[in-house]
Amino acid sequence: MAGEPAAAGSTAGPTTGASSTTTVEGALAVLPGPRAEESGFELVWQQVVAEIGRARSIDLICHICPDGDALGSALAAALALRGLGHEVRVSFGDDPQIVPESLAFLPGQELIVPASEVPDTPELVLCFDVAAESRLGLLHDKAFAAPVLVVIDHHASNPGFGTHQLIDPTAPATAVLVDELLRRLGVELDQPLATCLYTGVATDTGSFKYRATTPATHELAGRLLATGIRHDLISRQLWDTSSFGYLKVLARALDRAVYEPDAAGGLGLVWTWVPYQDLALFSVTVEEIEGLIDIVRRPAEAEVALVLKQDPDGTLRGSSRSKGAVDVAAACAGLGGGGHTFAAGFSARDDVETVVGRFRAALRPVS
């Protein structure tokens, strides 16, 4: 199963650097927000393209514990840049560095290197889907040692670090911005690129059901599907495939779920947590249970959902969702995290009760 989508969108060989017939104006027209039309944002695009053109070696990094948008965006850009003749490396700052099994089909993974193999002073760093410096993990110091650090992201909570910021909170996924980058570099879409970009867009739009999905998002999906990728196999791998052990962990997590009707100003909170012992008992990775939040958020009685997942060292990783009336990004920011208004996360070292208490106290309606 892990290889099915890759077979549908062949990973053989680097992407080509053939010129696109799409004009810059046409490319801008499909971006889903006003930022692309602002003169300042346009200037940054031009500067970034120029920096890429001058660079021989480019390091592409995404956030720790990468999801489909982060890794898909980085690999798509890396494949395109390799096709244009650049020396490229893809990495993320985890140790051990683990690609989730659900993303094992993504093309270009031969370009991934451990964080230790990224130069201490990279020539040029492109940073994908990293909402905060802390999400760089082991690559933080190396990224900031680069004379050019380009941040390509769509999180509203991003403070704007780096030397160049291509941050568009209206974009439904970082992959949308990568598509624009490829257009500006004159790279035509092929199946490996489309597989990576489709994975990024589908992941961060919840398979095109979240509020940030726009007509332009579907237009992009149409162009990606036109390359011949098997979106059905990609979706099956992303959402409909798991180990049997996952079902056991899921059952325990749901049995542990708590509903608090008075939380979030009476709008309701449902939360649960997964101790590391459960993961170890059933040989399940913490990455495999990332989708648990999408099950916990289903009850009609609760506006907000929270899932805490415990690492071996006791760290709790929080994933939260709101149905539209509460700003969970602000609540997560109070615990050192961030994200989108209605989908955000954080990491904490306190006990479960303390972390849930701090999260609950920070919940505020959207203004």
Side-chain angles (χ1 to χ4, degrees):
M1 273 304 302
E4 274 194 290
S10 173
T11 63
T15 184
T16 62
S19 296
S20 170
T21 58
T22 306
T23 64
V24 170
E25 290 78 8
L28 290 173
V30 301
L31 282 178
R35 290 290 304 276
E37 299 174 0
E38 296 176 4
S39 59
F41 202 52
E42 171 61 25
L43 178 60
V44 178
W45 272 117
Q46 295 174 8
Q47 292 171 340
V48 169
V49 170
E51 293 288 358
I52 290 174
R54 286 190 286 267
R56 180 186 64 84
S57 175
I58 301 175
D59 286 274
L60 304 95
I61 62 178
C62 57
H63 61 68
I64 55 176
C65 306
D67 59 6
D69 192 24
L71 192 59
S73 293
L75 289 174
L79 287 168
L81 292 170
R82 182 178 68 174
L84 293 174
H86 297 276
E87 175 189 329
V88 297
R89 286 174 294 267
V90 177
S91 191
F92 49 96
D94 287 307
D95 185 20
Q97 193 182 68
I98 300 172
V99 173
E101 183 64 26
S102 63
L103 301 178
F105 66 90
L106 285 176
Q109 294 193 45
E110 70 277 6
L111 300 175
I112 299 176
V113 302
S116 60
E117 293 187 19
V118 174
D120 291 337
T121 307
E123 181 182 356
L124 168 62
V125 171
L126 302 181
C127 181
F128 299 91
D129 206 45
V130 180
E133 294 180 28
S134 61
R135 300 284 285 163
L136 290 168
L138 297 175
L139 287 170
H140 178 276
D141 292 348
K142 292 183 176 183
F144 277 86
V148 181
L149 171 57
V150 179
V151 176
I152 303 174
D153 188 30
H154 71 128
H155 291 93
S157 62
N158 194 309
F161 60 94
T163 62
H164 298 73
Q165 298 90 36
L166 291 171
I167 303 170
D168 185 355
T170 68
T174 295
V176 172
L177 298 172
V178 175
D179 174 64
E180 169 66 2
L181 176 63
L182 302 192
R183 285 169 175 254
R184 288 172 178 266
L185 293 173
V187 176
E188 291 184 344
L189 292 174
D190 59 13
Q191 288 190 0
L193 290 176
T195 296
C196 293
L197 293 177
Y198 187 89
T199 297
V201 175
T203 297
D204 264 30
T205 61
S207 193
F208 306 94
K209 65 185 179 184
Y210 293 163
R211 179 181 297 187
T213 304
T214 67
T217 313
H218 287 287
E219 188 277 340
L220 170 57
R223 287 194 286 111
L224 298 175
L225 293 180
T227 66
I229 60 172
R230 286 287 303 275
H231 64 284
D232 56 331
L233 300 182
I234 293 173
S235 296
R236 185 190 305 170
Q237 186 68 24
L238 290 175
W239 292 291
D240 299 330
T241 302
S242 70
S243 66
F244 181 72
Y246 168 78
L247 298 182
K248 294 292 189 177
V249 172
L250 173 63
R252 292 189 175 207
L254 294 180
D255 188 57
R256 205 177 283 122
V258 177
Y259 167 51
E260 301 184 11
D262 296 329
L267 295 173
L269 165 69
V270 60
W271 65 270
T272 190
W273 76 291
V274 179
Y276 178 71
Q277 288 84 349
D278 281 6
L279 300 177
L281 178 62
F282 297 109
S283 300
V284 173
T285 66
V286 70
E287 290 79 18
E288 191 174 352
I289 62 170
E290 285 299 311
L292 176 57
I293 183 65
D294 293 316
I295 298 174
V296 174
R297 70 191 296 240
R298 291 182 182 180
E301 296 89 341
E303 167 66 25
V304 179
L306 172 68
V307 172
L308 299 176
K309 298 149 289 186
Q310 189 179 49
D311 285 338
D313 66 356
T315 298
L316 293 173
R317 302 189 201 178
S319 296
S320 65
R321 298 290 187 272
S322 166
K323 294 176 180 174
V326 173
D327 183 353
V328 291
C332 290
L335 286 99
H340 306 290
T341 303
F342 307 128
F346 61 86
S347 295
R349 292 302 303 270
D350 293 316
D351 60 85
V352 172
E353 290 75 15
T354 299
V355 172
V356 173
R358 291 176 61 195
F359 178 80
R360 183 193 305 114
L363 294 175
R364 298 287 184 276
V366 175
S367 58

